[in-house]
PDB file of all heavy atoms in Angstrom:
ATOM      1  N   ILE A 230       5.021  20.834  -3.438  1.00 92.00           N
ATOM      2  CA  ILE A 230       5.417  19.582  -4.109  1.00 92.00           C
ATOM      3  C   ILE A 230       6.400  19.921  -5.217  1.00 92.00           C
ATOM      4  O   ILE A 230       6.069  20.676  -6.148  1.00 92.00           O
ATOM      5  CB  ILE A 230       4.181  18.850  -4.659  1.00 92.00           C
ATOM      6  CG1 ILE A 230       3.227  18.502  -3.501  1.00 92.00           C
ATOM      7  CG2 ILE A 230       4.586  17.599  -5.420  1.00 92.00           C
ATOM      8  CD1 ILE A 230       1.893  17.951  -3.948  1.00 92.00           C
ATOM      9  N   LYS A 231       7.588  19.369  -5.158  1.00 90.00           N
ATOM     10  CA  LYS A 231       8.668  19.731  -6.086  1.00 90.00           C
ATOM     11  C   LYS A 231       8.959  18.635  -7.125  1.00 90.00           C
ATOM     12  O   LYS A 231       9.681  18.898  -8.106  1.00 90.00           O
ATOM     13  CB  LYS A 231       9.949  20.030  -5.306  1.00 90.00           C
ATOM     14  CG  LYS A 231       9.782  21.073  -4.217  1.00 90.00           C
ATOM     15  CD  LYS A 231       9.245  22.394  -4.762  1.00 90.00           C
ATOM     16  CE  LYS A 231       9.112  23.437  -3.642  1.00 90.00           C
ATOM     17  NZ  LYS A 231       8.469  24.687  -4.132  1.00 90.00           N
ATOM     18  N   SER A 232       8.455  17.436  -6.919  1.00 91.00           N
ATOM     19  CA  SER A 232       8.748  16.338  -7.861  1.00 91.00           C
ATOM     20  C   SER A 232       7.494  15.472  -8.033  1.00 91.00           C
ATOM     21  O   SER A 232       6.446  15.728  -7.420  1.00 91.00           O
ATOM     22  CB  SER A 232       9.927  15.495  -7.361  1.00 91.00           C
ATOM     23  OG  SER A 232       9.648  14.962  -6.077  1.00 91.00           O
ATOM     24  N   ASP A 233       7.638  14.436  -8.859  1.00 91.00           N
ATOM     25  CA  ASP A 233       6.491  13.567  -9.171  1.00 91.00           C
ATOM     26  C   ASP A 233       6.001  12.822  -7.928  1.00 91.00           C
ATOM     27  O   ASP A 233       6.798  12.464  -7.056  1.00 91.00           O
ATOM     28  CB  ASP A 233       6.867  12.550 -10.252  1.00 91.00           C
ATOM     29  CG  ASP A 233       7.170  13.237 -11.594  1.00 91.00           C
ATOM     30  OD1 ASP A 233       6.653  14.358 -11.793  1.00 91.00           O
ATOM     31  OD2 ASP A 233       7.922  12.644 -12.399  1.00 91.00           O
ATOM     32  N   LEU A 234       4.706  12.593  -7.903  1.00 93.00           N
ATOM     33  CA  LEU A 234       4.101  11.826  -6.813  1.00 93.00           C
ATOM     34  C   LEU A 234       3.954  10.362  -7.194  1.00 93.00           C
ATOM     35  O   LEU A 234       3.795  10.016  -8.370  1.00 93.00           O
ATOM     36  CB  LEU A 234       2.731  12.406  -6.467  1.00 93.00           C
ATOM     37  CG  LEU A 234       2.693  13.858  -5.970  1.00 93.00           C
ATOM     38  CD1 LEU A 234       1.262  14.281  -5.703  1.00 93.00           C
ATOM     39  CD2 LEU A 234       3.546  14.022  -4.716  1.00 93.00           C
ATOM     40  N   THR A 235       4.008   9.518  -6.168  1.00 94.00           N
ATOM     41  CA  THR A 235       3.867   8.081  -6.385  1.00 94.00           C
ATOM     42  C   THR A 235       2.868   7.511  -5.379  1.00 94.00           C
ATOM     43  O   THR A 235       2.903   7.853  -4.187  1.00 94.00           O
ATOM     44  CB  THR A 235       5.226   7.358  -6.185  1.00 94.00           C
ATOM     45  OG1 THR A 235       6.208   7.963  -7.020  1.00 94.00           O
ATOM     46  CG2 THR A 235       5.105   5.882  -6.547  1.00 94.00           C
ATOM     47  N   LEU A 236       2.005   6.658  -5.870  1.00 93.00           N
ATOM     48  CA  LEU A 236       1.069   5.923  -5.017  1.00 93.00           C
ATOM     49  C   LEU A 236       1.655   4.516  -4.895  1.00 93.00           C
ATOM     50  O   LEU A 236       1.819   3.811  -5.892  1.00 93.00           O
ATOM     51  CB  LEU A 236      -0.304   5.870  -5.683  1.00 93.00           C
ATOM     52  CG  LEU A 236      -1.486   5.367  -4.881  1.00 93.00           C
ATOM     53  CD1 LEU A 236      -1.741   6.227  -3.652  1.00 93.00           C
ATOM     54  CD2 LEU A 236      -2.734   5.276  -5.749  1.00 93.00           C
ATOM     55  N   ARG A 237       2.030   4.098  -3.656  1.00 92.00           N
ATOM     56  CA  ARG A 237       2.785   2.864  -3.539  1.00 92.00           C
ATOM     57  C   ARG A 237       2.672   2.243  -2.146  1.00 92.00           C
ATOM     58  O   ARG A 237       2.102   2.837  -1.228  1.00 92.00           O
ATOM     59  CB  ARG A 237       4.264   3.111  -3.851  1.00 92.00           C
ATOM     60  CG  ARG A 237       4.893   4.161  -2.941  1.00 92.00           C
ATOM     61  CD  ARG A 237       6.380   4.259  -3.191  1.00 92.00           C
ATOM     62  NE  ARG A 237       7.016   5.368  -2.494  1.00 92.00           N
ATOM     63  CZ  ARG A 237       7.305   5.394  -1.206  1.00 92.00           C
ATOM     64  NH1 ARG A 237       7.015   4.355  -0.419  1.00 92.00           N
ATOM     65  NH2 ARG A 237       7.911   6.448  -0.665  1.00 92.00           N
ATOM     66  N   ASN A 238       3.271   1.042  -2.026  1.00 91.00           N
ATOM     67  CA  ASN A 238       3.430   0.425  -0.711  1.00 91.00           C
ATOM     68  C   ASN A 238       4.581   1.092   0.026  1.00 91.00           C
ATOM     69  O   ASN A 238       5.487   1.666  -0.605  1.00 91.00           O
ATOM     70  CB  ASN A 238       3.720  -1.082  -0.843  1.00 91.00           C
ATOM     71  CG  ASN A 238       2.614  -1.855  -1.503  1.00 91.00           C
ATOM     72  OD1 ASN A 238       2.857  -2.684  -2.357  1.00 91.00           O
ATOM     73  ND2 ASN A 238       1.362  -1.600  -1.120  1.00 91.00           N
ATOM     74  N   PRO A 239       4.608   1.024   1.345  1.00 92.00           N
ATOM     75  CA  PRO A 239       5.712   1.636   2.119  1.00 92.00           C
ATOM     76  C   PRO A 239       7.065   0.992   1.783  1.00 92.00           C
ATOM     77  O   PRO A 239       7.131  -0.175   1.391  1.00 92.00           O
ATOM     78  CB  PRO A 239       5.333   1.345   3.575  1.00 92.00           C
ATOM     79  CG  PRO A 239       3.852   1.132   3.547  1.00 92.00           C
ATOM     80  CD  PRO A 239       3.570   0.466   2.214  1.00 92.00           C
ATOM     81  N   ARG A 240       8.112   1.775   1.982  1.00 90.00           N
ATOM     82  CA  ARG A 240       9.463   1.242   1.819  1.00 90.00           C
ATOM     83  C   ARG A 240      10.364   1.835   2.899  1.00 90.00           C
ATOM     84  O   ARG A 240      10.001   2.833   3.555  1.00 90.00           O
ATOM     85  CB  ARG A 240       9.998   1.538   0.427  1.00 90.00           C
ATOM     86  CG  ARG A 240      10.205   3.002   0.121  1.00 90.00           C
ATOM     87  CD  ARG A 240      10.544   3.224  -1.349  1.00 90.00           C
ATOM     88  NE  ARG A 240      10.773   4.628  -1.638  1.00 90.00           N
ATOM     89  CZ  ARG A 240      10.836   5.119  -2.879  1.00 90.00           C
ATOM     90  NH1 ARG A 240      10.663   4.296  -3.907  1.00 90.00           N
ATOM     91  NH2 ARG A 240      11.061   6.392  -3.071  1.00 90.00           N
ATOM     92  N   GLN A 241      11.506   1.224   3.049  1.00 89.00           N
ATOM     93  CA  GLN A 241      12.430   1.668   4.092  1.00 89.00           C
ATOM     94  C   GLN A 241      12.838   3.120   3.858  1.00 89.00           C
ATOM     95  O   GLN A 241      13.129   3.522   2.716  1.00 89.00           O
ATOM     96  CB  GLN A 241      13.677   0.772   4.107  1.00 89.00           C
ATOM     97  CG  GLN A 241      14.591   1.022   5.279  1.00 89.00           C
ATOM     98  CD  GLN A 241      15.723   0.000   5.348  1.00 89.00           C
ATOM     99  OE1 GLN A 241      15.846  -0.841   4.473  1.00 89.00           O
ATOM    100  NE2 GLN A 241      16.529   0.078   6.382  1.00 89.00           N
ATOM    101  N   GLY A 242      12.872   3.915   4.929  1.00 91.00           N
ATOM    102  CA  GLY A 242      13.269   5.319   4.843  1.00 91.00           C
ATOM    103  C   GLY A 242      12.112   6.282   4.699  1.00 91.00           C
ATOM    104  O   GLY A 242      12.304   7.502   4.755  1.00 91.00           O
ATOM    105  N   ASP A 243      10.877   5.781   4.561  1.00 93.00           N
ATOM    106  CA  ASP A 243       9.716   6.664   4.457  1.00 93.00           C
ATOM    107  C   ASP A 243       9.529   7.453   5.762  1.00 93.00           C
ATOM    108  O   ASP A 243       9.751   6.922   6.859  1.00 93.00           O
ATOM    109  CB  ASP A 243       8.450   5.852   4.165  1.00 93.00           C
ATOM    110  CG  ASP A 243       8.347   5.444   2.711  1.00 93.00           C
ATOM    111  OD1 ASP A 243       9.113   5.973   1.906  1.00 93.00           O
ATOM    112  OD2 ASP A 243       7.475   4.615   2.394  1.00 93.00           O
ATOM    113  N   TYR A 244       9.098   8.702   5.611  1.00 93.00           N
ATOM    114  CA  TYR A 244       8.865   9.547   6.799  1.00 93.00           C
ATOM    115  C   TYR A 244       7.786  10.571   6.479  1.00 93.00           C
ATOM    116  O   TYR A 244       7.394  10.777   5.325  1.00 93.00           O
ATOM    117  CB  TYR A 244      10.154  10.262   7.211  1.00 93.00           C
ATOM    118  CG  TYR A 244      10.558  11.341   6.233  1.00 93.00           C
ATOM    119  CD1 TYR A 244      10.159  12.675   6.413  1.00 93.00           C
ATOM    120  CD2 TYR A 244      11.336  11.030   5.117  1.00 93.00           C
ATOM    121  CE1 TYR A 244      10.510  13.663   5.492  1.00 93.00           C
ATOM    122  CE2 TYR A 244      11.693  12.016   4.206  1.00 93.00           C
ATOM    123  CZ  TYR A 244      11.273  13.321   4.386  1.00 93.00           C
ATOM    124  OH  TYR A 244      11.610  14.289   3.481  1.00 93.00           O
ATOM    125  N   PHE A 245       7.305  11.253   7.489  1.00 91.00           N
ATOM    126  CA  PHE A 245       6.462  12.439   7.293  1.00 91.00           C
ATOM    127  C   PHE A 245       6.838  13.471   8.369  1.00 91.00           C
ATOM    128  O   PHE A 245       7.538  13.148   9.343  1.00 91.00           O
ATOM    129  CB  PHE A 245       4.962  12.104   7.314  1.00 91.00           C
ATOM    130  CG  PHE A 245       4.519  11.273   8.478  1.00 91.00           C
ATOM    131  CD1 PHE A 245       4.272  11.848   9.715  1.00 91.00           C
ATOM    132  CD2 PHE A 245       4.343   9.902   8.334  1.00 91.00           C
ATOM    133  CE1 PHE A 245       3.860  11.085  10.770  1.00 91.00           C
ATOM    134  CE2 PHE A 245       3.933   9.120   9.392  1.00 91.00           C
ATOM    135  CZ  PHE A 245       3.690   9.711  10.625  1.00 91.00           C
ATOM    136  N   VAL A 246       6.392  14.693   8.176  1.00 92.00           N
ATOM    137  CA  VAL A 246       6.663  15.777   9.113  1.00 92.00           C
ATOM    138  C   VAL A 246       5.493  15.886  10.073  1.00 92.00           C
ATOM    139  O   VAL A 246       4.330  15.894   9.658  1.00 92.00           O
ATOM    140  CB  VAL A 246       6.892  17.112   8.360  1.00 92.00           C
ATOM    141  CG1 VAL A 246       7.055  18.277   9.342  1.00 92.00           C
ATOM    142  CG2 VAL A 246       8.118  17.012   7.473  1.00 92.00           C
ATOM    143  N   VAL A 247       5.816  16.002  11.368  1.00 90.00           N
ATOM    144  CA  VAL A 247       4.771  15.916  12.377  1.00 90.00           C
ATOM    145  C   VAL A 247       4.335  17.265  12.940  1.00 90.00           C
ATOM    146  O   VAL A 247       3.300  17.357  13.624  1.00 90.00           O
ATOM    147  CB  VAL A 247       5.201  14.998  13.537  1.00 90.00           C
ATOM    148  CG1 VAL A 247       5.386  13.580  13.050  1.00 90.00           C
ATOM    149  CG2 VAL A 247       6.477  15.520  14.196  1.00 90.00           C
ATOM    150  N   ASP A 248       5.108  18.343  12.677  1.00 89.00           N
ATOM    151  CA  ASP A 248       4.718  19.643  13.244  1.00 89.00           C
ATOM    152  C   ASP A 248       5.279  20.774  12.385  1.00 89.00           C
ATOM    153  O   ASP A 248       6.031  20.543  11.428  1.00 89.00           O
ATOM    154  CB  ASP A 248       5.196  19.790  14.686  1.00 89.00           C
ATOM    155  CG  ASP A 248       6.685  19.575  14.853  1.00 89.00           C
ATOM    156  OD1 ASP A 248       7.436  19.873  13.901  1.00 89.00           O
ATOM    157  OD2 ASP A 248       7.120  19.085  15.920  1.00 89.00           O
ATOM    158  N   ALA A 249       4.891  21.989  12.746  1.00 85.00           N
ATOM    159  CA  ALA A 249       5.315  23.169  11.983  1.00 85.00           C
ATOM    160  C   ALA A 249       6.821  23.427  12.083  1.00 85.00           C
ATOM    161  O   ALA A 249       7.389  24.152  11.275  1.00 85.00           O
ATOM    162  CB  ALA A 249       4.531  24.392  12.459  1.00 85.00           C
ATOM    163  N   MET A 250       7.477  22.825  13.087  1.00 88.00           N
ATOM    164  CA  MET A 250       8.921  22.990  13.259  1.00 88.00           C
ATOM    165  C   MET A 250       9.712  22.089  12.313  1.00 88.00           C
ATOM    166  O   MET A 250      10.930  22.188  12.241  1.00 88.00           O
ATOM    167  CB  MET A 250       9.306  22.672  14.704  1.00 88.00           C
ATOM    168  CG  MET A 250       8.576  23.510  15.744  1.00 88.00           C
ATOM    169  SD  MET A 250       8.973  25.259  15.586  1.00 88.00           S
ATOM    170  CE  MET A 250      10.704  25.245  16.056  1.00 88.00           C
ATOM    171  N   GLY A 251       9.025  21.223  11.601  1.00 87.00           N
ATOM    172  CA  GLY A 251       9.708  20.355  10.636  1.00 87.00           C
ATOM    173  C   GLY A 251      10.245  19.055  11.199  1.00 87.00           C
ATOM    174  O   GLY A 251      11.050  18.382  10.547  1.00 87.00           O
ATOM    175  N   HIS A 252       9.848  18.699  12.412  1.00 91.00           N
ATOM    176  CA  HIS A 252      10.306  17.428  12.985  1.00 91.00           C
ATOM    177  C   HIS A 252       9.742  16.247  12.185  1.00 91.00           C
ATOM    178  O   HIS A 252       8.551  16.231  11.839  1.00 91.00           O
ATOM    179  CB  HIS A 252       9.869  17.319  14.456  1.00 91.00           C
ATOM    180  CG  HIS A 252      10.534  18.337  15.317  1.00 91.00           C
ATOM    181  ND1 HIS A 252       9.839  19.289  16.040  1.00 91.00           N
ATOM    182  CD2 HIS A 252      11.861  18.573  15.569  1.00 91.00           C
ATOM    183  CE1 HIS A 252      10.684  20.048  16.704  1.00 91.00           C
ATOM    184  NE2 HIS A 252      11.925  19.649  16.431  1.00 91.00           N
ATOM    185  N   LYS A 253      10.613  15.280  11.956  1.00 93.00           N
ATOM    186  CA  LYS A 253      10.241  14.132  11.140  1.00 93.00           C
ATOM    187  C   LYS A 253       9.950  12.898  12.016  1.00 93.00           C
ATOM    188  O   LYS A 253      10.484  12.783  13.118  1.00 93.00           O
ATOM    189  CB  LYS A 253      11.360  13.788  10.154  1.00 93.00           C
ATOM    190  CG  LYS A 253      11.651  14.867   9.143  1.00 93.00           C
ATOM    191  CD  LYS A 253      12.795  14.469   8.225  1.00 93.00           C
ATOM    192  CE  LYS A 253      13.121  15.577   7.215  1.00 93.00           C
ATOM    193  NZ  LYS A 253      14.248  15.169   6.331  1.00 93.00           N
ATOM    194  N   LYS A 254       9.140  12.032  11.468  1.00 92.00           N
ATOM    195  CA  LYS A 254       8.852  10.757  12.123  1.00 92.00           C
ATOM    196  C   LYS A 254       8.866   9.659  11.059  1.00 92.00           C
ATOM    197  O   LYS A 254       8.280   9.810   9.985  1.00 92.00           O
ATOM    198  CB  LYS A 254       7.480  10.776  12.820  1.00 92.00           C
ATOM    199  CG  LYS A 254       7.158   9.503  13.579  1.00 92.00           C
ATOM    200  CD  LYS A 254       5.851   9.647  14.347  1.00 92.00           C
ATOM    201  CE  LYS A 254       5.567   8.411  15.187  1.00 92.00           C
ATOM    202  NZ  LYS A 254       4.308   8.580  16.004  1.00 92.00           N
ATOM    203  N   LYS A 255       9.572   8.582  11.363  1.00 92.00           N
ATOM    204  CA  LYS A 255       9.619   7.469  10.418  1.00 92.00           C
ATOM    205  C   LYS A 255       8.242   6.821  10.300  1.00 92.00           C
ATOM    206  O   LYS A 255       7.522   6.676  11.294  1.00 92.00           O
ATOM    207  CB  LYS A 255      10.627   6.423  10.863  1.00 92.00           C
ATOM    208  CG  LYS A 255      12.067   6.865  10.716  1.00 92.00           C
ATOM    209  CD  LYS A 255      13.021   5.722  11.082  1.00 92.00           C
ATOM    210  CE  LYS A 255      14.470   6.124  10.877  1.00 92.00           C
ATOM    211  NZ  LYS A 255      15.400   5.015  11.226  1.00 92.00           N
ATOM    212  N   LEU A 256       7.906   6.433   9.079  1.00 91.00           N
ATOM    213  CA  LEU A 256       6.625   5.766   8.864  1.00 91.00           C
ATOM    214  C   LEU A 256       6.564   4.441   9.619  1.00 91.00           C
ATOM    215  O   LEU A 256       5.509   4.069  10.171  1.00 91.00           O
ATOM    216  CB  LEU A 256       6.412   5.530   7.362  1.00 91.00           C
ATOM    217  CG  LEU A 256       5.083   4.880   6.958  1.00 91.00           C
ATOM    218  CD1 LEU A 256       3.911   5.777   7.330  1.00 91.00           C
ATOM    219  CD2 LEU A 256       5.065   4.570   5.465  1.00 91.00           C
ATOM    220  N   SER A 257       7.691   3.753   9.704  1.00 88.00           N
ATOM    221  CA  SER A 257       7.730   2.466  10.416  1.00 88.00           C
ATOM    222  C   SER A 257       7.411   2.674  11.896  1.00 88.00           C
ATOM    223  O   SER A 257       6.737   1.840  12.525  1.00 88.00           O
ATOM    224  CB  SER A 257       9.100   1.813  10.263  1.00 88.00           C
ATOM    225  OG  SER A 257      10.125   2.665  10.739  1.00 88.00           O
ATOM    226  N   ARG A 258       7.886   3.796  12.476  1.00 88.00           N
ATOM    227  CA  ARG A 258       7.579   4.092  13.872  1.00 88.00           C
ATOM    228  C   ARG A 258       6.088   4.390  14.056  1.00 88.00           C
ATOM    229  O   ARG A 258       5.477   4.005  15.058  1.00 88.00           O
ATOM    230  CB  ARG A 258       8.406   5.303  14.310  1.00 88.00           C
ATOM    231  CG  ARG A 258       8.276   5.702  15.759  1.00 88.00           C
ATOM    232  CD  ARG A 258       8.943   4.703  16.653  1.00 88.00           C
ATOM    233  NE  ARG A 258       7.992   3.938  17.423  1.00 88.00           N
ATOM    234  CZ  ARG A 258       8.342   2.945  18.227  1.00 88.00           C
ATOM    235  NH1 ARG A 258       9.609   2.583  18.341  1.00 88.00           N
ATOM    236  NH2 ARG A 258       7.423   2.283  18.884  1.00 88.00           N
ATOM    237  N   HIS A 259       5.534   5.080  13.073  1.00 89.00           N
ATOM    238  CA  HIS A 259       4.092   5.371  13.080  1.00 89.00           C
ATOM    239  C   HIS A 259       3.295   4.070  13.103  1.00 89.00           C
ATOM    240  O   HIS A 259       2.324   3.936  13.862  1.00 89.00           O
ATOM    241  CB  HIS A 259       3.723   6.213  11.862  1.00 89.00           C
ATOM    242  CG  HIS A 259       2.259   6.334  11.621  1.00 89.00           C
ATOM    243  ND1 HIS A 259       1.414   7.044  12.438  1.00 89.00           N
ATOM    244  CD2 HIS A 259       1.486   5.813  10.630  1.00 89.00           C
ATOM    245  CE1 HIS A 259       0.176   6.976  11.970  1.00 89.00           C
ATOM    246  NE2 HIS A 259       0.198   6.247  10.874  1.00 89.00           N
ATOM    247  N   PHE A 260       3.703   3.118  12.274  1.00 87.00           N
ATOM    248  CA  PHE A 260       2.999   1.812  12.226  1.00 87.00           C
ATOM    249  C   PHE A 260       3.071   1.104  13.576  1.00 87.00           C
ATOM    250  O   PHE A 260       2.108   0.512  14.035  1.00 87.00           O
ATOM    251  CB  PHE A 260       3.600   0.916  11.140  1.00 87.00           C
ATOM    252  CG  PHE A 260       3.253   1.328   9.730  1.00 87.00           C
ATOM    253  CD1 PHE A 260       4.082   0.977   8.669  1.00 87.00           C
ATOM    254  CD2 PHE A 260       2.099   2.038   9.469  1.00 87.00           C
ATOM    255  CE1 PHE A 260       3.755   1.342   7.366  1.00 87.00           C
ATOM    256  CE2 PHE A 260       1.764   2.419   8.166  1.00 87.00           C
ATOM    257  CZ  PHE A 260       2.606   2.078   7.109  1.00 87.00           C
ATOM    258  N   ILE A 261       4.237   1.185  14.193  1.00 84.00           N
ATOM    259  CA  ILE A 261       4.414   0.548  15.515  1.00 84.00           C
ATOM    260  C   ILE A 261       3.505   1.223  16.547  1.00 84.00           C
ATOM    261  O   ILE A 261       2.814   0.534  17.314  1.00 84.00           O
ATOM    262  CB  ILE A 261       5.884   0.613  15.948  1.00 84.00           C
ATOM    263  CG1 ILE A 261       6.744  -0.270  15.047  1.00 84.00           C
ATOM    264  CG2 ILE A 261       6.031   0.188  17.417  1.00 84.00           C
ATOM    265  CD1 ILE A 261       8.248  -0.111  15.259  1.00 84.00           C
ATOM    266  N   ASP A 262       3.497   2.555  16.554  1.00 83.00           N
ATOM    267  CA  ASP A 262       2.691   3.285  17.507  1.00 83.00           C
ATOM    268  C   ASP A 262       1.200   2.998  17.323  1.00 83.00           C
ATOM    269  O   ASP A 262       0.438   2.966  18.300  1.00 83.00           O
ATOM    270  CB  ASP A 262       2.942   4.785  17.383  1.00 83.00           C
ATOM    271  CG  ASP A 262       4.340   5.193  17.831  1.00 83.00           C
ATOM    272  OD1 ASP A 262       4.994   4.362  18.511  1.00 83.00           O
ATOM    273  OD2 ASP A 262       4.784   6.294  17.489  1.00 83.00           O
ATOM    274  N   LYS A 263       0.803   2.796  16.075  1.00 82.00           N
ATOM    275  CA  LYS A 263      -0.601   2.510  15.784  1.00 82.00           C
ATOM    276  C   LYS A 263      -0.932   1.011  15.912  1.00 82.00           C
ATOM    277  O   LYS A 263      -2.056   0.586  15.687  1.00 82.00           O
ATOM    278  CB  LYS A 263      -0.940   2.956  14.358  1.00 82.00           C
ATOM    279  CG  LYS A 263      -1.001   4.465  14.193  1.00 82.00           C
ATOM    280  CD  LYS A 263      -2.169   5.044  14.978  1.00 82.00           C
ATOM    281  CE  LYS A 263      -2.311   6.534  14.800  1.00 82.00           C
ATOM    282  NZ  LYS A 263      -3.436   7.088  15.569  1.00 82.00           N
ATOM    283  N   LYS A 264       0.098   0.237  16.302  1.00 81.00           N
ATOM    284  CA  LYS A 264      -0.044  -1.212  16.500  1.00 81.00           C
ATOM    285  C   LYS A 264      -0.568  -1.912  15.232  1.00 81.00           C
ATOM    286  O   LYS A 264      -1.405  -2.805  15.279  1.00 81.00           O
ATOM    287  CB  LYS A 264      -0.957  -1.525  17.682  1.00 81.00           C
ATOM    288  CG  LYS A 264      -0.410  -1.034  19.013  1.00 81.00           C
ATOM    289  CD  LYS A 264      -1.213  -1.551  20.168  1.00 81.00           C
ATOM    290  CE  LYS A 264      -0.716  -1.003  21.505  1.00 81.00           C
ATOM    291  NZ  LYS A 264       0.709  -1.210  21.757  1.00 81.00           N
ATOM    292  N   ILE A 265      -0.043  -1.466  14.099  1.00 82.00           N
ATOM    293  CA  ILE A 265      -0.366  -2.145  12.838  1.00 82.00           C
ATOM    294  C   ILE A 265       0.518  -3.372  12.741  1.00 82.00           C
ATOM    295  O   ILE A 265       1.756  -3.251  12.784  1.00 82.00           O
ATOM    296  CB  ILE A 265      -0.152  -1.206  11.637  1.00 82.00           C
ATOM    297  CG1 ILE A 265      -1.122  -0.022  11.726  1.00 82.00           C
ATOM    298  CG2 ILE A 265      -0.360  -1.960  10.325  1.00 82.00           C
ATOM    299  CD1 ILE A 265      -0.923   1.031  10.669  1.00 82.00           C
ATOM    300  N   PRO A 266      -0.042  -4.572  12.636  1.00 78.00           N
ATOM    301  CA  PRO A 266       0.773  -5.801  12.634  1.00 78.00           C
ATOM    302  C   PRO A 266       1.809  -5.804  11.534  1.00 78.00           C
ATOM    303  O   PRO A 266       1.609  -5.230  10.451  1.00 78.00           O
ATOM    304  CB  PRO A 266      -0.282  -6.897  12.401  1.00 78.00           C
ATOM    305  CG  PRO A 266      -1.564  -6.310  12.890  1.00 78.00           C
ATOM    306  CD  PRO A 266      -1.482  -4.841  12.560  1.00 78.00           C
ATOM    307  N   CYS A 267       2.928  -6.450  11.828  1.00 75.00           N
ATOM    308  CA  CYS A 267       4.019  -6.536  10.856  1.00 75.00           C
ATOM    309  C   CYS A 267       3.533  -7.071   9.513  1.00 75.00           C
ATOM    310  O   CYS A 267       3.961  -6.602   8.449  1.00 75.00           O
ATOM    311  CB  CYS A 267       5.131  -7.451  11.390  1.00 75.00           C
ATOM    312  SG  CYS A 267       6.014  -6.798  12.810  1.00 75.00           S
ATOM    313  N   GLU A 268       2.663  -8.090   9.572  1.00 71.00           N
ATOM    314  CA  GLU A 268       2.203  -8.733   8.339  1.00 71.00           C
ATOM    315  C   GLU A 268       1.401  -7.778   7.470  1.00 71.00           C
ATOM    316  O   GLU A 268       1.304  -7.982   6.255  1.00 71.00           O
ATOM    317  CB  GLU A 268       1.328  -9.950   8.686  1.00 71.00           C
ATOM    318  CG  GLU A 268       2.043 -11.025   9.467  1.00 71.00           C
ATOM    319  CD  GLU A 268       3.254 -11.547   8.720  1.00 71.00           C
ATOM    320  OE1 GLU A 268       3.097 -12.026   7.574  1.00 71.00           O
ATOM    321  OE2 GLU A 268       4.377 -11.461   9.247  1.00 71.00           O
ATOM    322  N   GLU A 269       0.826  -6.731   8.066  1.00 78.00           N
ATOM    323  CA  GLU A 269      -0.027  -5.822   7.308  1.00 78.00           C
ATOM    324  C   GLU A 269       0.707  -4.568   6.834  1.00 78.00           C
ATOM    325  O   GLU A 269       0.213  -3.863   5.955  1.00 78.00           O
ATOM    326  CB  GLU A 269      -1.240  -5.412   8.159  1.00 78.00           C
ATOM    327  CG  GLU A 269      -2.152  -6.591   8.517  1.00 78.00           C
ATOM    328  CD  GLU A 269      -3.334  -6.166   9.356  1.00 78.00           C
ATOM    329  OE1 GLU A 269      -3.585  -4.936   9.442  1.00 78.00           O
ATOM    330  OE2 GLU A 269      -3.991  -7.039   9.959  1.00 78.00           O
ATOM    331  N   ARG A 270       1.865  -4.299   7.418  1.00 83.00           N
ATOM    332  CA  ARG A 270       2.552  -3.032   7.088  1.00 83.00           C
ATOM    333  C   ARG A 270       2.951  -2.945   5.626  1.00 83.00           C
ATOM    334  O   ARG A 270       2.811  -1.899   5.002  1.00 83.00           O
ATOM    335  CB  ARG A 270       3.784  -2.863   7.981  1.00 83.00           C
ATOM    336  CG  ARG A 270       3.420  -2.687   9.444  1.00 83.00           C
ATOM    337  CD  ARG A 270       4.651  -2.699  10.333  1.00 83.00           C
ATOM    338  NE  ARG A 270       4.262  -2.860  11.732  1.00 83.00           N
ATOM    339  CZ  ARG A 270       5.101  -3.082  12.710  1.00 83.00           C
ATOM    340  NH1 ARG A 270       6.416  -3.176  12.448  1.00 83.00           N
ATOM    341  NH2 ARG A 270       4.662  -3.217  13.955  1.00 83.00           N
ATOM    342  N   ALA A 271       3.447  -4.058   5.092  1.00 81.00           N
ATOM    343  CA  ALA A 271       3.897  -4.040   3.695  1.00 81.00           C
ATOM    344  C   ALA A 271       2.735  -3.888   2.725  1.00 81.00           C
ATOM    345  O   ALA A 271       2.927  -3.531   1.560  1.00 81.00           O
ATOM    346  CB  ALA A 271       4.674  -5.315   3.368  1.00 81.00           C
TER     347      ALA A 271
END
């Protein structure tokens, strides 16, 4: 961790790393895959 942490609601551009190779996945795509309704994502 190189900078300050924030506890917050999601925002555009959020991502996480999915494997040791450093591949990224958008948080919005994760919500879609998990079938989290649009109304609940924010």
